[in-house]
Amino acid sequence: MNKRIRQVHRWTAIAFTVSVIAAFIALAQPEPAVWVSYVPLIPLAALLLTGLYLFTLPYAATWRRTRRTADQV
């Protein structure tokens, strides 16, 4: 599961980068569509969720390890 989350996080980062570049290009047009500036928010939300999960993994492992040793004593 962790491997899949990391993979999703990496691909979402690529999608976010591409959407930001596309938004910059679209907004540089003479008649820019304002809604294009909101498109990068979708992959950014996914990056937030997967990033928070990946950030908490080491803390959760430490918490589980200390609980397991406390239960054995």
Side-chain angles (χ1 to χ4, degrees):
M1 171 107 174
N2 293 341
K3 184 178 178 181
R4 186 163 308 273
I5 295 290
R6 288 181 195 280
Q7 206 169 27
V8 167
H9 187 74
R10 287 183 189 133
W11 282 104
T12 307
I14 292 169
F16 174 70
T17 304
V18 169
S19 67
V20 167
I21 292 169
F24 271 107
I25 292 171
L27 292 175
Q29 301 302 317
E31 297 266 337
V34 179
W35 63 268
V36 176
S37 62
Y38 296 114
V39 171
L41 294 177
I42 298 166
L44 185 62
L47 277 174
L48 174 69
L49 295 175
T50 56
L52 286 174
Y53 174 79
L54 292 172
F55 179 77
T56 58
L57 278 179
Y59 298 107
T62 304
W63 179 74
R64 281 193 302 263
R65 191 171 36 248
T66 57
R67 263 194 92 174
R68 192 176 310 132
T69 56
D71 288 345
Q72 290 176 353
V73 172

